[in-house]
Structure formats: structure tokens, C-alpha cells
Amino acid sequence: HPDPSCTHGKMPSHQWPEAWASLQKTVVTLCLLCSTSLSPTRGQARIPLETVKLWADTFGRDLYDTVTKYSGSLLLQKKYKDVEPSLKIKEVDGLELVRKFSEDMETMLRRKVAAVQNLVEAAEEADLNHEFNESLVFNYYNSVLINEKDAGGAYVELGAEFVLEANAHFGNLLVNTSLSSVQLPTNVYNKDPDILNGIYLSEALNPVFVENFRRDPTLTWQYFGSSTGFFRIYPGIKWTPDENGVIAFDCRNRGWYIQAATSPKDIVIVMDTSGSMKGLRMAIAKHTVSTILDTLGENDFVNIISYNDYIHYIEPCFKGILVQADRDNREHFKQLVDKLMVKGVGVVGQALSEAFQILQQFQEAGQGSLCNQAIMLITDGAVEDHRPVLEKYNWPHRKVRLFTYLIGKEVSFADRLKWIACNNKGYYTQISTLADAQENVMEYLHVLSRPMVINHDHDITWTEAYMDSKAQSMALLTTVAMPVFSKKNETRSHGILLGVVGSDVALRELMKLAPQYKVSPDQAPRYPLTPSIPVFLARGARLCLFEYRSYLPRGS
């Protein structure tokens, strides 16, 4: 605690007028000095050099006296002199410091990876032993409904008593460290058979959550995000809807889920803006494009082409190229999509040709993700014969997947769009309402993940640093995530992704390992430490995450 009598603490109020007067004097002197640096104008007398030197000396003395008097530097020097005999200089081995920091960080992060691997094994084993039951009736702890009562004082369905206590380790949030709870977005039905069966088998994760936390008390949130939309989180919490009563959080749109569930990808979105797309169809198409953009991450590359009588890059600066799908570019694309207008007749053949050429050029130049490539065709119908374009650019190897989205309730062109998708290793879906977009768009992720699922590539994914919002708390962290696959013999060849498990690592926990008291801010570690772990670097207020190739997404 500071000593009120120390002059290097807060300045006493009676000294303020004196300090202010000194500063005013210094400022006036400085202004005079600055004015002499200007060339004299006509009729203005030139100031002698000796006078300027005198002003400079006066300014320097005044500034030194003011800073010395009010900064407490003399007192600080005296205190240092008093303890100087007991001080000594000790040489620090910088390499040894870095090596120790590296080992401690690697040990910590390996524990996080081990916890996630335990969850993957438990989830896949639970699925292997579970038989799907279409009529399953099962009560679970719904994060929104827990502890809620009806008018008669009885707990509502799926809202049983759920003990919650404030926990400092979890930001003083009310949590239950004995159980997990389940959150579902508003657009996912909480009694759907797929949902109920998935939640039922994922109950097997509860003891694993608890045991992981017992073994490693530095663990924070652990969770399982299902491909069907539910989100099991430990420790259990109560989830509060927004002011409109909506739960917008969907785990399948989160960066950790997308990066773990799919490989990096190059995407060209081809959007129909012809006259037939007016009204509700255009609103649905815009929402579909926005939803696709939400499924992309910083390892992906994207561009958007609209077409009617002609083809248009919605951002002319990005003509003929792909850009990284980072947050800024995604938001920029969304703003441009909102401004699109409909007119003319759709000429989709030219748009598809342009999209194929972009992907081909990037692949040949070794640019982009160097992994999956796909075209998303969003239209209310296709009247042209696409075979010549497909034969020229994509057959017979079909390196580019083509996903087709039929907008509106009209089904006249459904067969043609299905044919395009099925003959180009893609997927067809119809989006009739705004509410359909979320679930139908997510299907393309399942298709892109199939090769990885069939090969059972349990790659470990580390996300870039981001602000947490999943538990309605805010903290800068990274997530380690792994995909969960179905191991049943009858589904193994289909490549079924069950979901993604993950665990958060707060940057503050990593920074605790750094021997900051032994190094100056400019000497803090700013480079990769070991070849097997991601490294967080701190310099001032900037935090970055570097990933080594062993943890980079596939295809990088």
C-alpha cells in the first residue's frame, strides 16, 4: 500500500496551483522556441541566435526543475541508495529461461490435448454402443430451462433443479462442476429424435469432464458440439436468451468447430441476381450467402460472383482472385451482398466458367488453401445446359465440388440442380424460407469432411486467439479441438461426423508460465519455442498465436 507521506505518490492538492504555473511557464517558453524555427516574414525582425540559446537554456532548466520536483525522482534515487549495499547483479542465462518456459508451456498444453483426446474416445465409444431409438424419451438439463418453474411452482419440462455456485476459476460465473448442461439454438427442436439420441449418448462425457478437471485444475471450459446442433458444456451453466428471447449461439458456426470438422478450402460463391430472384427469393439468397460466409475461417479463401445479363465481382478490387476469409473480409462481403439488386436474365454458364478459372489459376500457382475447392451455386433455377462448362473445367477428375442451393418453393429446376451437384461430388439442397438456411447450408461441411472422417484423421486443431462468448463471459483464449467420428461398421464407409470436442485455454494461464519478473518487456519471448506446440507471444497489449506446421490445418 502506498505511503500517503511519499511525494512520489499522488500530488497533494495544495501543490496543484504551483505545478500548473510551472507548466504554463514551460509551455510559453516552448511556444517561443517553436516560433523561432519558422522563417521570418516580411517586416518581422530576426531574433538573435544568442537570445534563442538563452530561451532554450531557460526552457531546459524549467523543465528539469518541474519534472524533478513533482515526479519524486530524487526520493526514488535516495531510496535506491539506501538499499544499494544489499543489491547485487546476477547474470541470467537467456537461453535457459526460454528453454524452461518452453518446457512448462509444452507440458501444460499437452495436458489440454490429453483431456480432449479422452473426450473423443469416450464420445466415439458411446456412439458405438448406442442403438438409435426413434421414440426415445429422455430428460436432460437444458441450459435455458434449468431451475425454471411454471405458475404452479413446479419445474418446467427439461428444467429440473440444477445446483449453481459462483466459481472464481470460471470468472465468478454460476456453474455446476459436477454436471454438464446442454444448449440448443432457437432454430433446433429440443425433442427431435436425432437431438435426443445424440444428447443421450453424450451423457457418457459427464464423468470424463469431471475426471479431466480433477487431473488438471487449470482446465476451463470443456465441451462437445454436435453436428446436429446441440452443445454440451462443462461445467454446467444457465444460458440466458437475448432481449428477444432468442438463443443465437450455434456451435457449428464457431471457428473451433469449423477448423476441426473440415480441411481448409477455396470457395467461390456464384449468386443469381436476375429478375426472377426479386422479393423474398433475394432475401433468402442473401441470407444463404451470409450463412455460408459464417462457416468460413482464416484458413479458407473466398470470392463472390453475382450474375444476370453479365457477371459481376461484388468487390471489383477482388476481380480474378481469392481472398482470405478473415473476419474483416467476411463482414465486407456481407455488406456488399446486402446492396445487390436484381435485374435482367441469368446467364449462369459464364459465371461458372469464371469461378472454375479462378480456382484453377490459384491451384496451379500454389496459392489459396491448397486443399479443398468448391463452387456454391445459389439460384432459383437453371435453364442452360451446363455440360460443356463442366466437361471443359471439371471432368473427368472432378477436382472442384459443386454445391447447389435452389432458392424458393418452386421445384421445376430441382432435378437439373441435383444433377449438377451429384455429378460434381457436391450436394443439392432447397431453401424455401429464411429459417431453412442454417441447417441446409451446414450440409456442405459434412460432405467436405467425409474424406477426413473415412480416414479417421483425428487431427489436433488450435484456433487463433479470440474473445470468448460461449458462456456469456469475455476472455481472450484459444481452443484445442478434435473431430468425433462414427466407428460403427455400417456407417464407417459413409464418413459420418458426430461433432467436435474442445477445451479452452485462457491466454492469462499461459502468461503465468512466462518468467516476466526476470526479463524486461522488450525482452519477453517473441518467437516460437518448440516445434510441437502453438506459442502465444506478448508485446505490450498485442497478443498473437503462432502455430507450427505439426499443428497447422491440413493442406497448409
Side-chain angles (χ1 to χ4, degrees):
H1 298 283
D3 183 354
S5 64
C6 292
T7 59
H8 64 281
K10 184 177 179 181
M11 184 186 299
S13 59
H14 68 271
Q15 294 184 3
W16 289 354
E18 185 181 351
W20 177 243
S22 298
L23 287 174
Q24 284 182 314
K25 179 180 177 183
T26 302
V27 170
V28 170
T29 306
L30 179 60
C31 290
L32 288 172
L33 284 172
C34 291
S35 67
T36 63
S37 64
L38 301 175
S39 300
T41 56
R42 182 177 300 176
Q44 181 179 0
R46 187 178 183 87
I47 300 175
L49 182 60
E50 291 300 322
T51 302
V52 175
K53 288 182 178 180
L54 179 62
W55 287 351
D57 290 340
T58 303
F59 169 71
R61 285 194 302 271
D62 288 348
L63 184 61
Y64 175 80
D65 292 342
T66 301
V67 171
T68 301
K69 183 175 181 179
Y70 297 106
S71 68
S73 60
L74 294 178
L75 179 62
L76 185 62
Q77 292 176 21
K78 180 179 180 303
K79 287 183 176 292
Y80 178 79
K81 288 289 185 182
D82 292 342
V83 298
E84 188 176 14
S86 62
L87 299 178
K88 60 181 179 179
I89 298 175
K90 182 179 179 180
E91 186 174 347
V92 176
D93 187 341
L95 287 178
E96 183 59 31
L97 272 180
V98 172
R99 188 178 299 109
K100 181 66 167 59
F101 180 35
S102 168
E103 292 173 354
D104 291 346
M105 183 177 286
E106 183 167 5
T107 299
M108 178 184 181
L109 295 184
R110 285 194 184 281
R111 289 201 302 267
K112 312 305 180 189
V113 172
V116 169
Q117 289 173 329
N118 293 338
L119 294 172
V120 170
E121 293 172 3
E124 291 184 347
E125 188 66 23
D127 174 69
L128 185 61
N129 298 324
H130 176 73
E131 290 293 332
F132 186 86
N133 182 354
E134 183 73 28
S135 58
L136 176 65
V137 177
F138 171 65
N139 288 327
Y140 58 92
Y141 290 112
N142 185 299
S143 291
V144 176
L145 301 176
I146 53 176
N147 297 332
E148 294 291 326
K149 295 183 179 181
D150 58 22
Y155 287 108
V156 300
E157 190 175 11
L158 303 180
E161 182 181 7
F162 194 76
V163 178
L164 296 169
E165 298 177 340
N167 191 307
H169 184 66
F170 294 94
N172 287 319
L173 290 175
L174 298 175
V175 300
N176 185 320
T177 54
S178 299
L179 292 167
S180 61
S181 58
V182 176
Q183 175 268 344
L184 297 98
T186 300
N187 64 326
V188 175
Y189 180 44
N190 59 22
K191 290 187 179 179
D192 181 273
D194 288 331
I195 294 293
L196 287 176
N197 278 267
I199 293 175
Y200 178 80
L201 70 88
S202 68
E203 284 282 301
L205 298 180
N206 269 322
V208 184
F209 286 140
V210 175
E211 180 61 16
N212 280 343
F213 190 45
R214 186 193 67 80
R215 291 180 178 178
D216 181 7
T218 66
L219 279 174
T220 54
W221 304 104
Q222 304 173 66
Y223 38 86
F224 170 67
S226 169
S227 60
T228 57
F230 74 84
F231 179 65
R232 181 177 290 278
I233 184 171
Y234 172 89
I237 58 170
K238 183 170 179 60
W239 211 285
T240 304
D242 63 19
E243 61 275 10
N244 299 315
V246 174
I247 301 292
F249 178 90
D250 190 325
C251 62
R252 296 168 297 179
N253 284 338
R254 306 300 289 177
W256 53 267
Y257 185 99
I258 295 168
Q259 290 182 38
T262 65
S263 302
K265 47 197 171 291
D266 298 334
I267 301 290
V268 179
I269 300 173
V270 178
M271 183 179 179
D272 186 351
T273 54
S274 62
S276 63
M277 290 286 290
K278 64 182 179 181
L280 179 60
R281 290 182 179 180
M282 193 57 179
I284 296 173
K286 289 179 177 180
H287 184 54
T288 300
V289 173
S290 178
T291 304
I292 292 174
L293 290 171
D294 285 338
T295 66
L296 303 179
E298 296 195 356
N299 296 320
D300 304 318
F301 292 80
V302 66
N303 205 340
I304 302 178
I305 297 173
S306 68
Y307 70 91
N308 38 52
D309 295 322
Y310 306 95
I311 63 172
H312 314 270
Y313 286 88
I314 68 168
E315 173 49 81
C317 294
F318 297 159
K319 182 177 181 179
I321 63 171
L322 298 172
V323 296
Q324 186 181 18
D326 56 26
R327 185 187 301 273
D328 290 340
N329 283 334
R330 295 197 306 267
E331 292 304 315
H332 181 59
F333 276 132
K334 288 180 183 180
Q335 294 173 9
L336 294 174
V337 166
D338 282 341
K339 298 176 182 178
L340 290 176
M341 306 293 288
V342 298
K343 64 177 181 179
V345 178
V347 185
V348 68
Q350 295 180 18
L352 286 178
S353 297
E354 186 73 13
F356 276 118
Q357 289 177 46
I358 296 174
L359 295 173
Q360 182 179 338
Q361 291 168 6
F362 259 62
Q363 184 73 20
E364 292 175 351
Q367 297 176 312
S369 70
L370 302 179
C371 198
N372 290 307
Q373 292 193 320
I375 295 173
M376 311 297 201
L377 176 59
I378 300 169
T379 180
D380 64 343
V383 297
E384 297 178 58
D385 182 9
H386 305 86
R387 185 180 293 271
V389 175
L390 300 175
E391 288 178 345
K392 180 178 180 179
Y393 293 105
N394 208 35
W395 292 354
H397 302 296
R398 295 174 171 82
K399 293 182 178 180
V400 177
R401 296 180 184 269
L402 220 163
F403 297 88
T404 55
Y405 299 87
L406 179 59
I407 303 300
K409 298 181 179 180
E410 180 62 50
V411 296
S412 302
F413 299 100
D415 289 341
R416 183 168 295 182
L417 290 177
K418 284 180 184 177
W419 181 89
I420 294 172
C422 293
N423 284 277
N424 291 276
K425 301 167 68 174
Y427 188 87
Y428 158 83
T429 187
Q430 184 170 5
I431 302 178
S432 304
T433 67
L434 291 169
D436 293 340
Q438 178 68 43
E439 291 300 316
N440 290 333
V441 164
M442 296 305 298
E443 292 295 336
Y444 95 87
L445 291 177
H446 296 173
V447 175
L448 291 183
S449 68
R450 279 176 190 162
M452 181 178 65
V453 177
I454 292 173
N455 294 330
H456 275 60
D457 294 333
H458 285 98
D459 290 347
I460 300 167
T461 300
W462 290 92
T463 68
E464 65 277 0
Y466 66 97
M467 293 300 294
D468 174 39
S469 62
K470 68 175 69 63
Q472 298 174 330
S473 63
M474 299 302 291
L476 194 60
L477 49 83
T478 182
T479 295
V480 54
M482 290 179 66
V484 180
F485 309 130
S486 175
K487 296 169 64 176
K488 294 179 178 179
N489 290 330
E490 61 269 27
T491 60
R492 182 181 289 266
S493 61
H494 299 297
I496 295 180
L497 176 73
L498 299 176
V500 173
V501 296
S503 181
D504 294 340
V505 181
L507 263 66
R508 64 175 179 271
E509 294 297 325
L510 288 171
M511 289 300 100
K512 288 178 182 178
L513 301 176
Q516 296 181 13
Y517 64 96
K518 292 185 178 181
V519 295
S520 69
D522 282 341
Q523 293 171 330
R526 296 189 297 274
Y527 43 86
L529 301 178
T530 72
S532 58
I533 57 173
V535 178
F536 293 87
L537 312 176
R539 183 180 177 89
R542 297 192 297 276
L543 291 164
C544 308
L545 169 63
F546 286 80
E547 298 178 11
Y548 275 84
R549 292 203 64 84
S550 60
Y551 278 107
L552 284 174
R554 297 158 295 284
S556 297

